[in-house]
Amino acid sequence: MKAKYYEDADLLSIRVSNKPFVDAEQEGDVIVHYTKNDEPVLIEILNAGKFLRETSKSLPKKIKKEIWSHIQSSL
């Protein structure tokens, strides 16, 4: 898994597979790209700063720490 944050677009891109994607679905500020077999490949979070601030409030501290450390190490 690789994550990259694009500050100028406030976009967080999380690549969960190197397979090619052929389709995408958007729900709010989250776009998920899928393979032809409906496997998730890439997750894009628009307005990432706001999204992470709002969702991280409901996460346990241990999970929040793991997510942030992984994102920072991937940048």
Side-chain angles (χ1 to χ4, degrees):
M1 182 169 83
K2 286 188 173 185
K4 184 164 184 175
Y5 177 67
Y6 299 91
E7 187 175 356
D8 58 330
D10 194 20
L11 170 76
L12 178 61
S13 176
I14 304 167
R15 181 72 110 148
V16 294
S17 170
N18 287 327
K19 296 178 181 179
F21 53 85
V22 296
D23 195 18
E25 292 183 15
Q26 182 172 354
E27 181 69 35
D29 284 343
V30 179
I31 303 169
V32 181
H33 299 262
Y34 298 95
T35 66
K36 64 181 178 182
N37 297 323
D38 293 326
E39 298 172 66
V41 175
L42 176 67
I43 302 166
E44 295 178 299
I45 301 174
L46 310 173
N47 302 307
K50 178 183 174 190
F51 179 87
L52 292 172
R53 278 190 303 277
E54 290 175 358
T55 57
S56 70
K57 291 176 187 174
S58 62
L59 293 173
K61 287 182 182 182
K62 181 181 177 186
I63 303 255
K64 197 182 317 184
K65 185 177 179 180
E66 287 179 31
I67 292 170
W68 283 111
S69 66
H70 180 76
I71 289 172
Q72 289 174 343
S73 68
S74 298
L75 298 177

